[in-house]
Amino acid sequence: MIHTFASNGHRLVVDVNSGSISELDEISYALLEFAGEDMTRVLPQKAGERLAARYGVNALREAWEELFALKEDGRLFSPDVYAAYRNAGDMAPVKSMCLNVAHDCNLRCSYCFASTGDFGGGRKLMPFSVGKQAVDFLLEHAGNRRNLELDFFGGEPMMNFDVVKEVVAYGREAEQKAGKHIRFTTTTNALVLDDEKIDFINREMYNVVLSIDGRQSVHDRMRRRIDGSGSYQTILANIKRLVERREHRNYYVRGTFTHENLDFAEDVLALADEGFKEISVEPVILPEGHPLALRKDDLPHIFAEYDRLALEMIRRAKAGNGFNFFHFMIDMEHGPCAIKLLRGCGCGNEYVAVTPEGDIYPCHQFVGDRAFRMGNVCNGQFDQAMKNTFSKANIFTKKDCADCWAKFYCSGGCNANNSAYAGNILTPLDISCALERKRVECALMIKAALAE
């Protein structure tokens, strides 16, 4: 399977199974229509008949030889080698945990998937006793995995800062006894960050996600304080202080765009203009009919924004002031292992979330949906049957992925979004699929442009 597209003067072909990306000249690109898995070194008669008047037979033969060489080298029409991994990773050890230390928040974001922080179950904070048992659960279910991850999440985790500190201290002791290493991370809206919290995060957290929506007008409209006032100025100042003390390493600022700011490239660039180099502004996922939800007729506008952002990123990179945009970051040389290509984040199998009461869910976005409650860290219950169901969620069991050229980039999309908005973890959300394909094309075009 191959995918071809032209963008910004670049003609690109993606060989889906090998992951190979090739840039072609005009003649080779035109000849792809006549190429396939059964191609030979001989120029097809139909190609000569149709294209000789435009390019000349000798040029066609030379270009065809180059295409055939790509095929022989395994870079065009390569066989599917991933079927052998169809069941690899089933019932894998748990290596990552999202610890919801706070089902409460000091903001009331308009698009919040967590019901403004309480996940629909009332505002509460996790006691240290539950956090301790969650760490024990992670270590117990990690099998032979040595490197583990634990993310402090909410709501707003810094509203339960004392417990965050206690859990980290306990984790540092417990990991040594277990012969493991836990990388702690956190996601915060940065509203209550002070010197103590900043220093702790920068000392103990391997990575930190900092929530801010871009331009002040957009941010303050979406991310309001409880009293309805804007939060931008306070959050921006706190984030800048943290990132500077962190020496601009292992962080990213993360925003959300909605139907009301389809010109979201301006929000990305606004964050870049504030000096941030690691940026993510992601599409909102909301029920159809919600005033902020993205609609299918928004897609042309969104695609144009991704194109505009890609061109500006190229310009800035060549001028020496580039930045990374999360959805355009693709490692084509050392990409993820085969299992991760097929299964993505591993939610419900390698990754779980834990609530303040100790309830286990497949990930933070499933929290509150009792149909997906997997057990509780306090009593040792863990639904292995549900874990097995999630372990089998991959691009082979998601039928809509079979013929999609981008399947190895998104691994079938977000299982939580699939469940919530398409009705089944195995049914990818069509809007998300369209956005992913566009983002991958932009990312590949950027790579080609910067390689010139």
Side-chain angles (χ1 to χ4, degrees), residues 39-41 66-76:
M39 66 186 293
T40 67
R41 181 170 271 110
E66 293 174 355
L67 289 179
F68 183 75
L70 287 176
K71 180 183 181 298
E72 290 292 281
D73 196 36
R75 297 172 59 191
L76 273 185

Side-chain angles (χ1 to χ4, degrees), residues 4-293:
T4 62
F5 68 99
S7 176
N8 190 29
H10 299 275
R11 302 175 186 86
L12 300 169
V13 56
V14 181
D15 183 65
V16 175
N17 290 327
S18 70
S20 176
I21 315 297
S22 302
E23 183 165 10
L24 304 179
D25 60 21
E26 180 182 343
I27 302 177
S28 298
Y29 193 77
L31 280 171
L32 278 176
E33 177 185 349
F34 307 92
E37 295 179 5
D38 58 349
M39 66 186 293
T40 67
R41 181 170 271 110
V42 179
L43 177 71
Q45 182 179 347
K46 287 185 178 180
E49 292 173 352
R50 191 176 304 177
L51 300 175
R54 183 185 305 174
Y55 300 113
V57 174
N58 289 337
L60 288 174
R61 286 174 176 163
E62 182 179 344
W64 185 260
E65 280 281 350
E66 293 174 355
L67 289 179
F68 183 75
L70 287 176
K71 180 183 181 298
E72 290 292 281
D73 196 36
R75 297 172 59 191
L76 273 185
F77 305 105
S78 62
D80 183 358
V81 299
Y82 291 100
Y85 296 95
R86 181 184 297 268
N87 297 315
D90 282 2
M91 302 298 283
V94 177
K95 66 176 182 178
S96 302
M97 175 179 286
C98 180
L99 198 61
N100 284 23
V101 291
H103 276 192
D104 197 1
C105 192
N106 43 20
L107 293 180
R108 297 293 182 264
C109 301
S110 302
Y111 48 68
C112 181
F113 77 92
S115 300
T116 66
D118 71 357
F119 291 83
R123 302 193 180 278
K124 61 196 73 171
L125 301 179
M126 177 181 287
F128 169 62
S129 60
V130 174
K132 176 178 179 295
Q133 289 170 302
V135 171
D136 291 341
F137 175 92
L138 178 61
L139 294 171
E140 177 186 349
H141 289 81
N144 60 0
R145 295 287 180 88
R146 182 179 183 275
N147 295 311
L148 311 175
E149 296 183 1
L150 189 151
D151 181 50
F152 294 100
F153 199 74
E156 173 47 49
M158 292 302 112
M159 293 179 68
N160 200 8
F161 182 55
D162 287 342
V163 167
V164 171
K165 291 190 295 182
E166 289 180 291
V167 170
V168 169
Y170 177 74
R172 294 297 183 215
E173 294 178 3
E175 68 180 1
Q176 292 184 17
K177 295 177 182 178
K180 308 287 188 183
H181 175 65
I182 302 174
R183 293 202 301 197
F184 292 102
T185 63
T186 192
T187 300
T188 175
N189 63 32
L191 189 61
V192 296
L193 292 185
D194 54 22
D195 288 342
E196 179 188 7
K197 294 182 179 69
I198 288 173
D199 290 343
F200 179 84
I201 289 172
N202 286 347
R203 182 175 66 252
E204 300 291 352
M205 303 296 165
Y206 172 78
N207 190 46
V208 57
V209 179
L210 302 150
S211 299
I212 184 170
D213 273 357
R215 292 165 291 180
Q216 181 170 0
S217 59
V218 172
H219 178 102
D220 280 345
R221 186 166 73 250
M222 296 294 168
R223 302 182 65 83
R224 298 174 183 267
R225 300 173 194 253
I226 295 173
D227 64 6
S229 61
S231 60
Y232 179 83
Q233 290 295 343
T234 298
I235 285 173
L236 179 65
N238 289 344
I239 290 178
K240 280 188 171 183
R241 197 159 74 253
L242 183 147
V243 170
E244 288 169 3
R245 292 187 188 180
R246 201 175 181 83
E247 298 180 340
H248 293 262
R249 293 181 300 200
N250 297 327
Y251 81 95
Y252 67 88
V253 291
R254 192 250 191 241
T256 300
F257 74 86
T258 74
H259 178 71
E260 290 193 2
N261 63 309
L262 296 177
D263 60 342
F264 61 89
E266 293 299 323
D267 295 296
V268 177
L269 298 176
L271 292 170
D273 290 341
E274 292 292 347
F276 301 119
K277 298 296 185 182
E278 309 294 334
I279 302 170
S280 177
V281 174
E282 305 187 16
V284 73
I285 302 293
L286 288 169
E288 187 176 352
H290 190 291
L292 297 178

Side-chain angles (χ1 to χ4, degrees), residues 268 276-280 313 322-329:
V268 177
F276 301 119
K277 298 296 185 182
E278 309 294 334
I279 302 170
S280 177
M313 288 181 66
F323 61 90
N324 290 322
F325 178 63
F326 182 79
H327 277 139
F328 288 171
M329 295 171 65

Side-chain angles (χ1 to χ4, degrees), residues 385-430:
M386 189 178 297
K387 186 177 189 295
N388 186 48
T389 295
F390 276 92
S391 77
K392 298 184 185 304
N394 59 60
I395 61 170
F396 293 107
T397 56
K398 297 175 179 179
K399 295 180 181 179
D400 292 348
C401 298
D403 298 322
C404 178
W405 68 268
K407 58 188 175 184
F408 294 126
Y409 294 100
C410 75
S411 309
C414 171
N415 290 332
N417 290 340
N418 294 350
S419 175
Y421 304 115
N424 190 307
I425 65 171
L426 301 180
T427 303
L429 184 59
D430 53 0

